[in-house]
Amino acid sequence: MPIALANPTVLINNLSVAIVPNSCTYTEGKGEQSVRVQSAGGGSVQSVLSNDIETNLSMVKFDMSATAENIETILTWKNNANANVISISGNGLTRSFANAALTNDYEVSLGNDSVISLEFKADAAI
Amino acid sequence: MSEFKSEFVYNVETPFDYHKGGQVEKARELILKAPSNRQRRESAKLKQGFFRALKSMADNKGDVDAGDQKGDGAISGDEVVSIIMMSNVDLVDYQESFRDILINDSCFVGDIKLTSPMYDSMSDADTEKLMGEYIATFLLASQLKKMQIE
C-alpha cells in the first residue's frame, strides 16, 4: 500500500531542519498556464496555450517552533539573501531548490505553542 | 623535531551533492584536518581501538603479521582498515567515532564544513577508505614513529 509522504527530511545549507509536522508544502515551479481560444474563421476555434514565465518559481513553506536556536538559524537564512539551498526528501522523493530566499517578513511570536511561518521563493525544483 | 601533516586532500570516488552559495554542487575532494584537543575524545577512541585491534591479533610473542609493510615503518589506510576489520573491535562503534570526529570541524568540502547529512551522502567505500587514511595519517603516525624508535 502506498504511504503518503508526511514526514519529509528538510535540509537547508547542508543542515537538517526540524519543522512543525504537517507544515511543509512546496510548488514545483512549473509556472501557471492559461488556455485561450483563437478564432480560425468559419466558426472554428483553436485553443492556444500560454506560459506565464513570471510564475516559474518554486515556493517552499513550513513552520518552525520559536526556540532561540531556531530564531538565530532563521535569521542566518534571511541574511543569506538568495544564497540558500533547500532539499526535501523522503519515501523516494527528492527535490532541491537552489537560490532560495526567505521572502516573508516572518513573525516571531513568543508564547505557548507559538510557531514561525516561513516562506521561501527559489528556482524551479530539480 | 619531527614534522607531521596538518591536513591532506582525499579525492572522493563517488561524488555526492552538497549545498554551496545557493547552488547544489558535487563534492569531489575533501580536506581533512589533523585533530586538535577539541576532538580529543573521538581521537582517543580511534587510537585506542586500533591498538586494541593490534593486540588482539598479536601472537604469543606479541608479534603481528603486518603483511607487505612499507620500509619506513609507515602503515597505509587499507592496512589500518584491514586490521580493524579482522580484530574483535566493534566496527560500528568505531565508525561512529570516526563520523563524530569528521563532523566536528575536521573535514571540509572547499570552505564548507562537513555536516551530518553530507556524511550520510558519502558512499560506504569512500567512508571506509577515508577512515583508514585519516587514522594512518593523523592518529598513528606519531605513535608508530615512537614505536619504531623504541
Side-chain angles (χ1 to χ4, degrees):
Chain A
M1 187 170 67
I3 298 172
L5 178 53
N7 187 20
T9 300
V10 179
L11 294 182
I12 300 186
N13 303 338
N14 302 308
L15 289 171
S16 182
V17 176
I19 63 169
V20 173
N22 302 320
S23 70
C24 183
T25 60
Y26 73 86
T27 62
E28 299 282 7
K30 300 288 182 192
E32 288 176 11
Q33 286 78 38
S34 57
V35 179
R36 302 243 185 268
V37 168
Q38 64 182 9
S39 168
S44 65
V45 291
Q46 294 171 336
S47 63
V48 178
L49 179 81
S50 169
N51 277 311
D52 183 0
I53 302 298
E54 275 186 29
T55 58
N56 279 20
L57 275 176
S58 274
M59 194 167 60
V60 181
K61 289 183 188 176
F62 55 83
D63 296 342
M64 291 178 79
S65 299
T67 65
E69 191 185 3
N70 283 349
I71 292 168
E72 283 307 310
T73 307
I74 294 166
L75 190 59
T76 311
W77 298 334
K78 189 73 173 173
N79 291 338
N80 277 351
N82 68 340
N84 299 296
V85 183
I86 304 171
S87 292
I88 296 174
S89 59
N91 288 17
L93 172 109
T94 305
R95 290 286 184 277
S96 289
F97 306 88
N99 296 319
L102 178 54
T103 51
N104 69 324
D105 191 8
Y106 57 89
E107 199 171 72
V108 181
S109 150
L110 303 174
N112 184 35
D113 278 347
S114 58
V115 296
I116 304 172
S117 297
L118 304 174
E119 193 177 314
F120 290 86
K121 286 204 172 120
D123 290 357
I126 46 171
Chain B
M1 206 167 155
S2 58
E3 281 183 23
F4 296 105
K5 278 187 185 177
S6 63
E7 67 174 55
F8 74 90
V9 174
Y10 174 82
N11 291 308
V12 179
E13 286 174 3
T14 312
F16 59 91
D17 288 344
Y18 75 108
H19 301 165
K20 187 188 175 190
Q23 300 295 325
V24 180
E25 308 267 355
K26 285 273 181 211
R28 297 180 194 281
E29 58 177 40
L30 302 174
I31 300 163
L32 283 305
K33 300 210 182 267
S36 64
N37 272 337
R38 186 175 180 167
Q39 298 95 4
R40 63 189 177 279
R41 287 172 198 282
E42 298 88 357
S43 164
K45 277 186 192 172
L46 293 177
K47 260 190 224 176
Q48 192 174 43
F50 178 78
F51 285 102
R52 280 186 178 157
L54 266 188
K55 193 184 172 195
S56 72
M57 290 174 65
D59 60 20
N60 291 337
K61 291 176 190 168
D63 295 331
V64 178
D65 179 14
D68 299 330
Q69 219 186 5
K70 292 174 192 170
D72 56 1
I75 188 165
S76 75
D78 289 340
E79 285 166 343
V80 169
V81 174
S82 300
I83 288 170
I84 293 162
M85 280 187 170
M86 288 188 292
S87 73
N88 53 14
V89 168
D90 187 340
L91 187 62
V92 178
D93 279 352
Y94 204 79
Q95 281 183 328
E96 279 307 298
S97 297
F98 179 61
R99 173 188 172 279
D100 291 344
I101 210 168
L102 284 194
I103 62 173
N104 190 5
D105 292 340
S106 288
C107 184
F108 294 80
V109 183
D111 55 352
I112 306 282
K113 200 175 90 171
L114 189 86
T115 61
S116 187
M118 287 162 78
Y119 177 86
D120 291 344
S121 305
M122 278 170 63
S123 74
D124 188 49
D126 272 320
T127 310
E128 211 169 84
K129 208 168 170 186
L130 183 61
M131 185 172 78
E133 295 293 330
Y134 190 88
I135 292 166
T137 308
F138 294 138
L139 305 183
L140 302 181
S142 59
Q143 206 71 30
L144 292 176
K145 197 104 180 165
K146 213 186 295 174
M147 287 169 78
Q148 200 186 13
I149 292 166
E150 284 167 5

Short mmCIF file of all heavy atoms in Angstrom, two decimals, chain A residues 81-116:
data_model
loop_
_atom_site.label_atom_id
_atom_site.label_comp_id
_atom_site.label_asym_id
_atom_site.label_seq_id
_atom_site.Cartn_x
_atom_site.Cartn_y
_atom_site.Cartn_z
N ALA A 81 20.28 36.15 1.93
CA ALA A 81 19.55 36.58 0.72
C ALA A 81 19.13 35.35 -0.09
O ALA A 81 18.50 34.45 0.48
CB ALA A 81 20.40 37.55 -0.09
N ASN A 82 19.55 35.26 -1.36
CA ASN A 82 19.11 34.08 -2.13
C ASN A 82 20.23 33.04 -2.27
O ASN A 82 20.24 32.25 -3.20
CB ASN A 82 18.58 34.49 -3.51
CG ASN A 82 19.68 35.02 -4.40
OD1 ASN A 82 20.73 35.42 -3.90
ND2 ASN A 82 19.44 35.03 -5.69
N ALA A 83 21.14 33.02 -1.33
CA ALA A 83 22.24 32.03 -1.37
C ALA A 83 21.95 30.82 -0.48
O ALA A 83 22.86 30.23 0.09
CB ALA A 83 23.55 32.69 -0.96
N ASN A 84 20.67 30.45 -0.38
CA ASN A 84 20.31 29.24 0.37
C ASN A 84 19.93 28.13 -0.60
O ASN A 84 19.50 28.41 -1.73
CB ASN A 84 19.10 29.51 1.27
CG ASN A 84 19.39 30.59 2.30
OD1 ASN A 84 20.25 30.43 3.16
ND2 ASN A 84 18.68 31.70 2.20
N VAL A 85 20.09 26.89 -0.15
CA VAL A 85 19.60 25.74 -0.92
C VAL A 85 18.73 24.91 0.01
O VAL A 85 19.11 24.67 1.16
CB VAL A 85 20.75 24.85 -1.44
CG1 VAL A 85 20.18 23.71 -2.28
CG2 VAL A 85 21.74 25.64 -2.26
N ILE A 86 17.57 24.50 -0.48
CA ILE A 86 16.67 23.65 0.31
C ILE A 86 16.54 22.31 -0.39
O ILE A 86 16.33 22.27 -1.61
CB ILE A 86 15.28 24.31 0.44
CG1 ILE A 86 15.40 25.72 1.03
CG2 ILE A 86 14.36 23.46 1.30
CD1 ILE A 86 14.11 26.51 1.00
N SER A 87 16.66 21.24 0.35
CA SER A 87 16.38 19.90 -0.19
C SER A 87 15.30 19.26 0.66
O SER A 87 15.38 19.31 1.89
CB SER A 87 17.63 19.02 -0.16
OG SER A 87 18.59 19.50 -1.05
N ILE A 88 14.32 18.69 -0.02
CA ILE A 88 13.25 17.98 0.68
C ILE A 88 13.28 16.55 0.19
O ILE A 88 13.31 16.30 -1.02
CB ILE A 88 11.88 18.63 0.38
CG1 ILE A 88 11.85 20.05 0.94
CG2 ILE A 88 10.73 17.80 0.98
CD1 ILE A 88 10.59 20.83 0.59
N SER A 89 13.30 15.60 1.11
CA SER A 89 13.36 14.20 0.68
C SER A 89 12.60 13.31 1.65
O SER A 89 12.32 13.68 2.77
CB SER A 89 14.81 13.73 0.57
OG SER A 89 15.45 13.86 1.81
N GLY A 90 12.28 12.13 1.14
CA GLY A 90 11.59 11.13 1.95
C GLY A 90 10.80 10.20 1.06
O GLY A 90 10.28 10.62 0.03
N ASN A 91 10.72 8.93 1.46
CA ASN A 91 9.95 7.91 0.72
C ASN A 91 10.24 7.90 -0.79
O ASN A 91 9.34 7.75 -1.60
CB ASN A 91 8.44 8.13 0.90
CG ASN A 91 7.98 7.77 2.29
OD1 ASN A 91 8.79 7.66 3.19
ND2 ASN A 91 6.69 7.59 2.47
N GLY A 92 11.49 8.13 -1.16
CA GLY A 92 11.86 8.07 -2.58
C GLY A 92 11.73 9.39 -3.31
O GLY A 92 12.11 9.50 -4.47
N LEU A 93 11.18 10.41 -2.65
CA LEU A 93 11.05 11.73 -3.30
C LEU A 93 12.24 12.60 -2.91
O LEU A 93 12.63 12.63 -1.75
CB LEU A 93 9.75 12.42 -2.84
CG LEU A 93 9.62 13.86 -3.31
CD1 LEU A 93 8.55 13.98 -4.37
CD2 LEU A 93 9.31 14.79 -2.16
N THR A 94 12.82 13.27 -3.89
CA THR A 94 13.88 14.25 -3.60
C THR A 94 13.65 15.48 -4.45
O THR A 94 13.50 15.38 -5.67
CB THR A 94 15.28 13.68 -3.91
OG1 THR A 94 15.44 12.45 -3.21
CG2 THR A 94 16.37 14.63 -3.47
N ARG A 95 13.61 16.63 -3.83
CA ARG A 95 13.50 17.89 -4.56
C ARG A 95 14.53 18.86 -3.99
O ARG A 95 14.67 18.97 -2.77
CB ARG A 95 12.11 18.51 -4.40
CG ARG A 95 11.02 17.78 -5.11
CD ARG A 95 11.08 17.99 -6.63
NE ARG A 95 9.97 17.36 -7.30
CZ ARG A 95 9.92 16.08 -7.64
NH1 ARG A 95 10.93 15.29 -7.37
NH2 ARG A 95 8.87 15.59 -8.27
N SER A 96 15.24 19.54 -4.88
CA SER A 96 16.20 20.55 -4.44
C SER A 96 15.79 21.89 -5.00
O SER A 96 15.38 21.99 -6.17
CB SER A 96 17.61 20.19 -4.92
OG SER A 96 18.07 19.08 -4.21
N PHE A 97 15.93 22.91 -4.19
CA PHE A 97 15.55 24.27 -4.59
C PHE A 97 16.78 25.17 -4.42
O PHE A 97 17.19 25.45 -3.29
CB PHE A 97 14.39 24.77 -3.72
CG PHE A 97 13.20 23.85 -3.70
CD1 PHE A 97 13.12 22.82 -2.77
CD2 PHE A 97 12.18 23.98 -4.63
CE1 PHE A 97 12.04 21.95 -2.75
CE2 PHE A 97 11.10 23.11 -4.63
CZ PHE A 97 11.02 22.10 -3.68
N ALA A 98 17.34 25.58 -5.54
CA ALA A 98 18.55 26.42 -5.50
C ALA A 98 18.17 27.89 -5.43
O ALA A 98 17.02 28.27 -5.74
CB ALA A 98 19.40 26.15 -6.73
N ASN A 99 19.11 28.70 -5.03
CA ASN A 99 18.93 30.16 -4.93
C ASN A 99 17.67 30.54 -4.14
O ASN A 99 16.89 31.40 -4.56
CB ASN A 99 18.87 30.80 -6.33
CG ASN A 99 20.18 30.62 -7.07
OD1 ASN A 99 21.25 30.75 -6.48
ND2 ASN A 99 20.11 30.31 -8.34
N ALA A 100 17.50 29.88 -3.03
CA ALA A 100 16.29 30.12 -2.23
C ALA A 100 16.46 31.35 -1.33
O ALA A 100 17.48 31.52 -0.68
CB ALA A 100 16.01 28.90 -1.37
N ALA A 101 15.42 32.18 -1.35
CA ALA A 101 15.41 33.37 -0.50
C ALA A 101 14.21 33.31 0.44
O ALA A 101 13.11 32.94 0.02
CB ALA A 101 15.35 34.62 -1.35
N LEU A 102 14.45 33.65 1.67
CA LEU A 102 13.36 33.71 2.64
C LEU A 102 12.65 35.05 2.43
O LEU A 102 13.17 36.10 2.82
CB LEU A 102 13.94 33.60 4.06
CG LEU A 102 12.97 33.68 5.24
CD1 LEU A 102 11.85 32.67 5.10
CD2 LEU A 102 13.72 33.44 6.54
N THR A 103 11.49 35.00 1.79
CA THR A 103 10.89 36.25 1.30
C THR A 103 9.91 36.90 2.27
O THR A 103 9.69 38.11 2.20
CB THR A 103 10.17 36.02 -0.04
OG1 THR A 103 9.30 34.91 0.12
CG2 THR A 103 11.14 35.74 -1.16
N ASN A 104 9.30 36.12 3.14
CA ASN A 104 8.30 36.77 4.00
C ASN A 104 8.97 37.43 5.22
O ASN A 104 10.03 37.00 5.67
CB ASN A 104 7.21 35.79 4.45
CG ASN A 104 7.71 34.73 5.41
OD1 ASN A 104 8.83 34.27 5.29
ND2 ASN A 104 6.89 34.34 6.36
N ASP A 105 8.34 38.50 5.68
CA ASP A 105 8.82 39.17 6.89
C ASP A 105 8.20 38.41 8.06
O ASP A 105 7.17 38.81 8.61
CB ASP A 105 8.38 40.64 6.86
CG ASP A 105 9.07 41.45 7.93
OD1 ASP A 105 9.98 40.91 8.58
OD2 ASP A 105 8.68 42.60 8.13
N TYR A 106 8.82 37.29 8.38
CA TYR A 106 8.22 36.34 9.33
C TYR A 106 7.98 36.96 10.70
O TYR A 106 8.73 37.82 11.14
CB TYR A 106 9.10 35.08 9.45
CG TYR A 106 10.53 35.37 9.86
CD1 TYR A 106 10.89 35.41 11.19
CD2 TYR A 106 11.50 35.61 8.90
CE1 TYR A 106 12.19 35.68 11.57
CE2 TYR A 106 12.80 35.89 9.27
CZ TYR A 106 13.14 35.92 10.60
OH TYR A 106 14.42 36.21 10.98
N GLU A 107 6.93 36.47 11.29
CA GLU A 107 6.53 36.99 12.59
C GLU A 107 7.01 36.04 13.68
O GLU A 107 6.74 34.84 13.61
CB GLU A 107 5.01 37.05 12.61
CG GLU A 107 4.43 37.97 13.64
CD GLU A 107 2.94 38.13 13.42
OE1 GLU A 107 2.21 37.16 13.68
OE2 GLU A 107 2.52 39.20 12.94
N VAL A 108 7.76 36.55 14.63
CA VAL A 108 8.22 35.71 15.74
C VAL A 108 7.30 35.94 16.92
O VAL A 108 7.30 37.00 17.54
CB VAL A 108 9.68 36.05 16.14
CG1 VAL A 108 10.15 35.14 17.27
CG2 VAL A 108 10.60 35.92 14.94
N SER A 109 6.50 34.94 17.18
CA SER A 109 5.56 35.07 18.28
C SER A 109 6.11 34.30 19.48
O SER A 109 6.44 33.12 19.36
CB SER A 109 4.22 34.51 17.80
OG SER A 109 3.51 33.97 18.85
N LEU A 110 6.28 34.96 20.59
CA LEU A 110 6.89 34.31 21.76
C LEU A 110 5.80 33.97 22.77
O LEU A 110 5.37 34.81 23.56
CB LEU A 110 7.93 35.24 22.39
CG LEU A 110 9.05 35.67 21.43
CD1 LEU A 110 9.95 36.71 22.08
CD2 LEU A 110 9.88 34.48 20.99
N GLY A 111 5.35 32.79 22.71
CA GLY A 111 4.29 32.37 23.62
C GLY A 111 4.08 30.88 23.54
O GLY A 111 4.78 30.18 22.81
N ASN A 112 3.10 30.41 24.27
CA ASN A 112 2.81 28.98 24.29
C ASN A 112 2.39 28.50 22.88
O ASN A 112 1.60 29.16 22.21
CB ASN A 112 1.68 28.73 25.29
CG ASN A 112 1.38 27.27 25.45
OD1 ASN A 112 2.29 26.44 25.39
ND2 ASN A 112 0.12 26.93 25.63
N ASP A 113 2.98 27.38 22.46
CA ASP A 113 2.63 26.78 21.16
C ASP A 113 2.91 27.68 19.97
O ASP A 113 2.30 27.51 18.91
CB ASP A 113 1.14 26.39 21.13
CG ASP A 113 0.90 25.04 21.78
OD1 ASP A 113 1.89 24.33 22.02
OD2 ASP A 113 -0.26 24.71 22.05
N SER A 114 3.77 28.65 20.14
CA SER A 114 3.97 29.59 19.03
C SER A 114 4.90 28.99 17.96
O SER A 114 5.83 28.25 18.28
CB SER A 114 4.54 30.91 19.54
OG SER A 114 5.74 30.67 20.21
N VAL A 115 4.60 29.30 16.72
CA VAL A 115 5.43 28.83 15.61
C VAL A 115 5.78 30.01 14.72
O VAL A 115 5.12 31.04 14.75
CB VAL A 115 4.73 27.74 14.76
CG1 VAL A 115 4.46 26.48 15.57
CG2 VAL A 115 3.46 28.27 14.14
N ILE A 116 6.84 29.82 13.93
CA ILE A 116 7.25 30.85 12.97
C ILE A 116 6.96 30.29 11.59
O ILE A 116 7.46 29.20 11.24
CB ILE A 116 8.75 31.17 13.11
CG1 ILE A 116 9.06 31.58 14.56
CG2 ILE A 116 9.17 32.27 12.15
CD1 ILE A 116 10.54 31.74 14.84
#
